[in-house]
Every structure is written in structure tokens, then in C-alpha cells.
Amino acid sequence: MSMLEVENLTVRAGGVTIVEDVCLSLEPGDWLTLVGPNGAGKSTIINAISQCVPYTGRIKFEGRDIRRFKPAQLARRLGVLAQGNAVGYAFTAEEIVRLGRYAYNASLFSSGSDEDDEFVERALELTGMAAQRGQSALTLSGGELQRTFLAQVFAQNPNVLLLDEPTNHLDLMYQKQIFEMIEGWLREPQRAVLSVIHDLSLARAYGTKAILLDRGRIKSAGDMRYVFAPDNLNGVYAMNVYEWMRAVSNQWRE
Amino acid sequence: MRSNEGYRAVHYIMFSIAALTVMVLCVCVGSVNIPVRSTLLVVRNALLNREIPEGMSKSIILSVRLPRVLSVALVGASLSLCGGAMQGLLRNPLADGSTLGVSSGASLGAVIAIALGVKIPGFPFADTMGMAMLFAFGSLVAILSLSYRLDSSLATNTIILVGVIFSMFVNALMSLIITFSSENIKAITFWTMGSLTGSTYSNVITLLVAMALCGAVLICRARELNAFAVGEDNARHVGVNVRRVKLIVMIAVSALIGVCVSIGGTIGFVGLVTPHMTRMLAGPNHRRLLPASMFMGAIFLMLADLVARVALNPLELPIGVVTSLIGAVAFIIIFRGSRRTI
């Protein structure tokens, strides 16, 4: 059974169709990457699946309509890292990560368990945020904030990750670390990742399947080699992608 | 979040001592100053149902100042609690209980009652207070239905916008009524500026019940408010039932604001300023912020009421004028100093 299945997803806002008739499915072990130029609808697909924007079509999670899940029930299975997280008040990094455990003790008088502490601790360690746990979110850098929210997602202990540009704002060391971490996380059974990755090289290096989007529609979908074929990419990006990528990476040859 | 994120008993004892000290001060000081010992003796004897000696200003303490100070403390705590909850829910430090437009609605009800002498047959408080409560509830229903019609997801921005527009519309209606009701203009103006003069023990009980019920609802939602304060989408991602919690918080805030406005009129700035001051002391976590805001709100409003009573003695100022004057200046100072820390 697919972990996540999207059928004929269409998102409209203000009379404009942002995503049209998108279908995808996520099997255990998949790292499906959504690629495409700006405005192709990548983030909107993530937002629709995470129930943040209204949509038409069907989204099934573990074989059930995703809308039938209670919010806390869904949050225990599906972790979402959105783009552009900004915090309005001076919550500490640890407080934000701890919110990731809300779904496990959502009842009115619950005050958390030792298991919650363990997950929070592990998530802070994994993302390298343990040392800054007491720091106010208002003084964290963009990369640190991104790692804080990533830690929150790991604290949720989900089976499926929806990641919108997970390495946004991150320096090279953390980019590498986070991608390797997600790759390691994915080795456990019954897990899958759907992510938006802007950087085509990273998408190609880590994804197991890809969907290339063009102005809200799927241009091609399937295994990496097929989706990343020159004809597909060149048409969507309106440039010779391979030539550009080679020219850039050649700079690194000694 | 874990229980250690909330306050411990010792904190509550300290808050209570501070609030009680201010309360005693406010009962003692006024147009006639009464010694602390006499005040405490009168209150103690009254509580224990013992005889109170002659010449102890019994009626000033028990019939005038005590119910007033208690009402003021409860209104201050309630307004501050509502402000703290709304600032978290809407993730907007400029929000307060009146952002939803409910207090304007309640004011309209009261103005209609005063100007036109409207009374609701069969309603227990069938006067200004009853009309204010009725209109507060009616406003909430109107604002939420309109917001829902415009945007079924009840997005925060839609609610704020509808609330602001609703308030403007209601204020225009009030001006219209005032224009045609010149003989009652003094009563209306005094009421819209806020006043707790002449509060009774039945007011105190009404406020206490409303605060206990709505306050419990809000404080039980502290973790959800934390998630909202981090971000509404983030709240959804971690599993908060966003629409339900939003509705519960807004209904509790509106009910409490409705009761406060119906008793004390429009008292500005308490709900805006005190949660800010409290956030500087307690941090943004609503488990600490909400209870601390209640104590701070009570203390702030009791002191403001004291200023209103004694500043131009024997003339008494409307409490809303004092809170707005102090609050506006305090807000600028706090906001300037805390832009990086709230």
C-alpha cells in the first residue's frame, strides 16, 4: 500500500490555477523530490498535503482520505517542514522543538513524559542544536532556525516527511549533515520522504524518484534518470541545464 | 509541554502577596485615608461575621471601596488574560481582547440601553449590563459568521480585518445614537470612558464566575496558544486542531470581554500593555504568561483606579482615561526596550 497517494490535485487561489491535476504516490523507502522552476507549484503541493491550503482532488494517507485523520493523529505520522519559518516571540529553541511532541499528549491536562524528553533530546542532538537549546528564536540565525524546525519534525517521530527546501539557509556542513541524516532515517522500514529541492544537483544525488513540474502541471515523473533527461529539463527551465551544470561544476576540478 | 514549564506554588504565593498588598493599599487610600490596621480589622470581622467597632469607616470600606477594588482587580485580570491569549492566538503583539470587535459591540448595546432606555424583558440584568452582554455575544456571532463567509478557513488576517471593520461600523452607529440623544450624553460618555464606580458585590460575583470559567478554558489551551504564537501553520503541523482551538479561544475571550465591558465600560490598553510587561518577566510561554498576566493586569488596573480616584481629588477621573494615558506611554517605552526580546 502506498504511504501517500495524491490524485488529481488542483489548487486555485484568487482565480489563478497554481497546481493542476497532479498525481503522485509515495511508497516505503521512497525519497521523491519535486523539482521545477520558481512558481511551478512545488511548495503548494506540500501545503495542500499538509492541509494548509484548500484543494480539490484526493489525498490518501495510509489508504485513508487525509481529511479523515484527526490533526494530532496525522501529526504522529506526517512531519512537515515548511518554508520560511519565522517566530514572532522569544520562544527558546527547545520550546519550539518540544512543540513537536504535542501530538503525543494533546489531551488538556497532559504534561509530557520521559519519552518526550528523549525524543526532544535526540532531535536537538541530531540537528546540532543542543548547545543553543536555551537561545531565543529571535536571535537564532536563519540556518539555526531551520535546524530548530527540522528538530521539531524529528521530535514528532513521523513515518513520512514533507520537506520544503530542508537545507534552505544552511551552510555546506549542515547541508551535507542533514541530507545524510535524512538518508539514514529513510533506511528504517515504512518510511518515506517527499521534498522540494531547488538545487538540482542535490535533488539528483539524494532522491530516488522525481517529479518535474512546469507551471503547476507535471512535466515528467518517474525515476531520476528519466526525469532528469536533458530534453525534459531544458524545456522546463528554458535553458541548456546540462551545459550550465557542467560549466559550474568544472570550476571545482583541480 | 512539560509541567515544569509552568509556575510552581511559590510563584503563585508571591504573585498573590503582591496583588493583596496593592489591594489593601487601594482600599486604604482615597478621598478619606483609612489606616491599614482598621481596614484589615473591618474586613476580618466582616468575613468572620463578627461585630465591627464604631468609627471604623465600615461603610466606606465594605460598601464602597472593597467591592470596587475587587471588581477592578477582576476586570484587570480578565482583560489582561484576554489580551495575552489573543496576542498568542493571532501571533500579533498589537492584538488584545478588543481586536475582535466584541468590546465595541458590547458598548453599542450599553449605549442603546442608556440612550433609548431599552430593556430586555425577563432578562436577569435587564438594563445596561444585560444589553452589553447580549450585544457582545451578538457581535461575536456576527464577526465569526462574516469571517466564515469571506474565508471558510477562518484565517487570522480575515478575522482581524473583519473585527476592525466591525468596530468602525459599530462606533459610527454609536456616534449616530449619541447625536440624537443629547440629554443622555454625559452618562454615555462616562460609560464609554470606563468606570467601576459604584461596583457591587453582585458585580464581583459575576466577574469572578466569568473569569473562573473563561480563564480555565484559556489556561487549559496554553500549549495550543504556544503553537499558535510560533505560527499558525506550525500549529497545524504539530497536530493542533487549529479551527477548533481558534473558535474556543475566541468564544472564551469574547464572553469574558463582554462581561467586563458590561460592568466596567470600555477600559483601554490594559489588555494590550500588561501582557507585554508580563512577557518581559515571564517569557512568551503561555503556561507562565497567562497566569502571570492575570496578576499583573489586576495590579495594573487597581493602581490605575487609585490614580483615577486620588489624582484630582475630589474630582474622579474615568479609569479608561487613566489606563490609556499611562498605557500609551508605557507601551512606547516597553516596545522600544523590548523589540528584540518579546
Side-chain angles (χ1 to χ4, degrees):
Chain A
M1 184 176 62
S2 295
M3 301 190 82
L4 178 72
E5 227 178 325
V6 174
E7 292 165 12
N8 311 105
L9 177 73
T10 298
V11 180
R12 289 193 187 86
V16 180
T17 304
I18 303 166
V19 169
E20 196 173 3
D21 217 17
V22 164
C23 298
L24 63 87
S25 83
L26 203 58
E27 310 297 328
D30 277 352
W31 185 335
L32 175 60
T33 63
L34 299 175
V35 291
N38 294 140
K42 307 181 293 289
S43 298
T44 307
I45 292 175
I46 299 274
N47 290 340
I49 298 172
S50 57
Q51 307 297 297
C52 290
V53 292
Y55 60 87
T56 57
R58 248 180 116 178
I59 300 174
K60 286 204 278 188
F61 190 81
E62 294 176 354
R64 260 168 77 193
D65 187 333
I66 202 163
R67 290 190 245 222
R68 289 182 170 267
F69 283 85
K70 285 183 180 158
Q73 208 182 8
L74 190 62
R76 290 196 291 267
R77 294 167 167 82
L78 181 73
V80 185
L81 179 74
Q83 213 185 90
N85 282 305
V87 182
Y89 297 106
F91 286 97
T92 64
E94 187 178 344
E95 282 174 324
I96 292 171
V97 177
R98 208 169 270 282
L99 279 174
R101 298 301 295 171
Y102 171 80
Y104 292 87
N105 43 62
S107 67
L108 276 185
F109 302 103
S110 175
S111 60
S113 64
D114 289 344
E115 195 188 47
D116 293 337
D117 286 349
E118 277 168 35
F119 271 99
V120 169
E121 211 53 45
R122 209 180 310 156
L124 284 166
E125 292 288 342
L126 269 174
T127 50
M129 284 304 294
Q132 288 113 309
R133 64 172 67 215
Q135 199 173 324
S136 152
L138 301 182
T139 59
L140 293 174
S141 71
E144 288 166 338
L145 204 56
Q146 181 79 348
R147 275 152 52 207
T148 305
F149 280 102
L150 199 60
Q152 187 193 65
V153 171
F154 281 115
Q156 277 174 251
N157 191 29
N159 305 106
V160 174
L161 295 182
L162 295 188
L163 308 170
D164 195 350
E165 296 281 5
T167 51
N168 218 0
H169 303 295
L170 296 192
D171 58 42
L172 281 179
M173 186 186 80
Y174 280 111
Q175 269 190 24
K176 179 171 178 283
Q177 217 167 309
I178 298 283
F179 270 104
E180 286 174 352
M181 195 172 82
I182 297 168
E183 208 174 31
W185 178 88
L186 197 52
R187 282 194 206 108
E188 297 282 321
Q190 291 299 311
R191 284 180 171 177
V193 179
L194 171 62
S195 70
V196 171
I197 302 176
H198 214 80
D199 186 321
L200 290 177
S201 306
L202 284 172
R204 192 169 182 172
Y206 287 95
T208 60
K209 290 197 304 191
I211 289 178
L212 176 63
L213 290 154
D214 186 19
R215 281 165 287 177
R217 290 178 151 268
I218 292 181
K219 172 76 179 170
S220 65
D223 68 45
M224 302 305 283
R225 192 181 287 268
Y226 169 68
V227 175
F228 279 66
D231 285 350
N232 280 333
L233 290 181
N234 294 352
V236 170
Y237 284 91
M239 62 183 283
N240 191 329
V241 175
Y242 272 62
E243 194 180 292
W244 164 251
M245 289 303 219
R246 276 193 204 110
V248 173
S249 60
N250 272 343
Q251 305 296 319
W252 297 97
R253 292 221 173 118
E254 287 192 58
Chain B
M1 295 199 179
R2 293 213 76 176
S3 53
N4 60 12
E5 291 184 318
Y7 279 121
R8 292 199 210 113
V10 61
H11 294 108
Y12 285 108
I13 293 170
M14 279 161 56
F15 284 137
S16 304
I17 291 172
L20 283 172
T21 310
V22 175
M23 195 174 276
V24 171
L25 173 80
C26 292
V27 175
C28 294
V29 179
S31 50
V32 179
N33 290 333
I34 305 162
V36 178
R37 267 184 74 177
S38 316
T39 308
L40 292 177
L41 189 74
V42 169
V43 173
R44 192 195 69 182
N45 284 9
L47 281 176
L48 299 174
N49 221 359
R50 284 191 200 155
E51 202 174 310
I52 297 162
E54 287 294 312
M56 297 292 278
S57 312
K58 177 187 159 192
S59 63
I60 294 184
I61 295 171
L62 293 182
S63 311
V64 181
R65 287 203 193 150
L66 194 59
R68 176 177 178 152
V69 171
L70 285 172
S71 296
V72 168
L74 289 168
V75 168
S78 301
L79 293 178
S80 183
L81 172 70
C82 291
M86 289 304 285
Q87 287 172 11
L89 184 77
L90 303 179
R91 199 174 165 241
N92 189 335
L94 290 174
D96 72 355
S98 58
T99 310
L100 280 174
V102 174
S103 55
S104 302
S107 302
L108 178 66
V111 167
I112 290 175
I114 298 169
L116 311 175
V118 177
K119 292 193 175 186
I120 318 152
F123 200 77
F125 315 96
D127 53 4
T128 317
M129 198 170 131
M131 283 288 280
M133 277 190 199
L134 197 71
F135 270 67
F137 187 71
S139 307
L140 177 71
V141 173
I143 291 160
L144 288 183
S145 349
L146 192 57
S147 303
Y148 187 77
R149 279 205 155 211
L150 292 172
D151 172 4
S152 61
S153 68
L154 283 178
T156 301
N157 288 345
T158 313
I159 296 169
I160 296 181
L161 214 65
V162 170
V164 169
I165 291 164
F166 183 85
S167 294
M168 286 177 169
F169 180 71
V170 163
N171 286 336
L173 286 181
M174 276 200 283
S175 305
L176 198 68
I177 294 170
I178 292 167
T179 313
F180 289 104
S181 169
S182 48
E183 70 272 21
N184 292 315
I185 199 155
K186 203 170 171 198
I188 293 173
T189 314
F190 194 70
W191 197 85
T192 54
M193 284 193 289
S195 171
L196 285 149
T197 318
S199 298
T200 60
Y201 286 109
S202 74
N203 292 153
V204 174
I205 289 165
T206 311
L207 282 166
L208 197 62
V209 170
M211 193 183 79
L213 291 177
C214 302
V217 170
L218 293 174
I219 287 174
C220 281
R221 296 289 169 186
R223 282 186 312 152
E224 285 86 348
L225 286 171
N226 282 338
F228 271 100
V230 168
E232 188 173 324
D233 280 343
N234 192 252
R236 191 176 280 117
H237 296 155
V238 298
V240 174
N241 191 334
V242 166
R243 242 171 66 161
R244 199 175 77 185
V245 172
K246 215 187 262 188
L247 275 175
I248 290 172
V249 170
M250 286 191 304
I251 290 171
V253 165
S254 305
L256 195 48
I257 291 281
V259 173
C260 289
V261 173
S262 69
I263 290 172
T266 323
I267 302 172
F269 271 97
V270 185
L272 181 63
V273 176
T274 44
H276 273 285
M277 291 199 267
T278 315
R279 214 172 274 119
M280 291 166 79
L281 293 172
N285 191 328
H286 289 79
R287 286 205 151 184
R288 293 188 295 267
L289 179 66
L290 295 182
S293 288
M294 291 173 79
F295 284 101
M296 287 286 273
I299 292 170
F300 178 83
L301 203 60
M302 281 191 288
L303 292 175
D305 186 54
L306 184 66
V307 172
R309 280 188 287 136
V310 300
L312 297 177
N313 191 16
L315 185 74
E316 188 176 316
L317 297 169
I319 191 170
V321 173
V322 178
T323 55
S324 296
L325 285 175
I326 300 173
V329 177
F331 186 75
I332 300 287
I333 295 168
I334 294 165
F335 202 60
R336 191 165 160 258
S338 65
R339 276 187 69 183
R340 288 200 184 87
T341 54
I342 54 171

